[in-house]
Amino acid sequence: MATKIDKAIEYYTFKSKKILDHINTSNNLTVDEIIENGQELAILEYKITALEVAKAS
């Protein structure tokens, strides 16, 4: 079970870093795109946190 959790954490961390890289390298993002990316990051961070808590229990 822990390996599935580790893989999920790895996947969501990868997706989060990909979004952050996109935001940091883009010079022409609209406000709506920034908000959408921020919301997606919040969701991913929530999932990562929940998986880390599940892994610790």
Side-chain angles (χ1 to χ4, degrees), residues 1-56:
M1 180 75 129
T3 58
K4 289 182 181 181
I5 292 174
D6 289 334
K7 287 181 181 181
I9 291 171
E10 183 180 328
Y11 173 75
Y12 289 132
T13 302
F14 171 77
K15 297 265 298 174
S16 177
K17 287 181 182 179
K18 186 176 176 183
I19 292 171
L20 280 174
D21 288 343
H22 172 69
I23 292 170
N24 289 332
T25 58
S26 297
N27 293 330
N28 56 352
L29 290 175
T30 65
V31 173
D32 290 334
E33 290 172 326
I34 294 170
I35 291 170
E36 287 176 18
N37 286 322
Q39 290 173 339
E40 184 67 26
L41 279 173
I43 292 168
L44 290 171
E45 291 299 321
Y46 177 79
K47 289 179 179 183
I48 291 168
T49 302
L51 287 167
E52 287 174 345
V53 168
K55 182 180 173 182

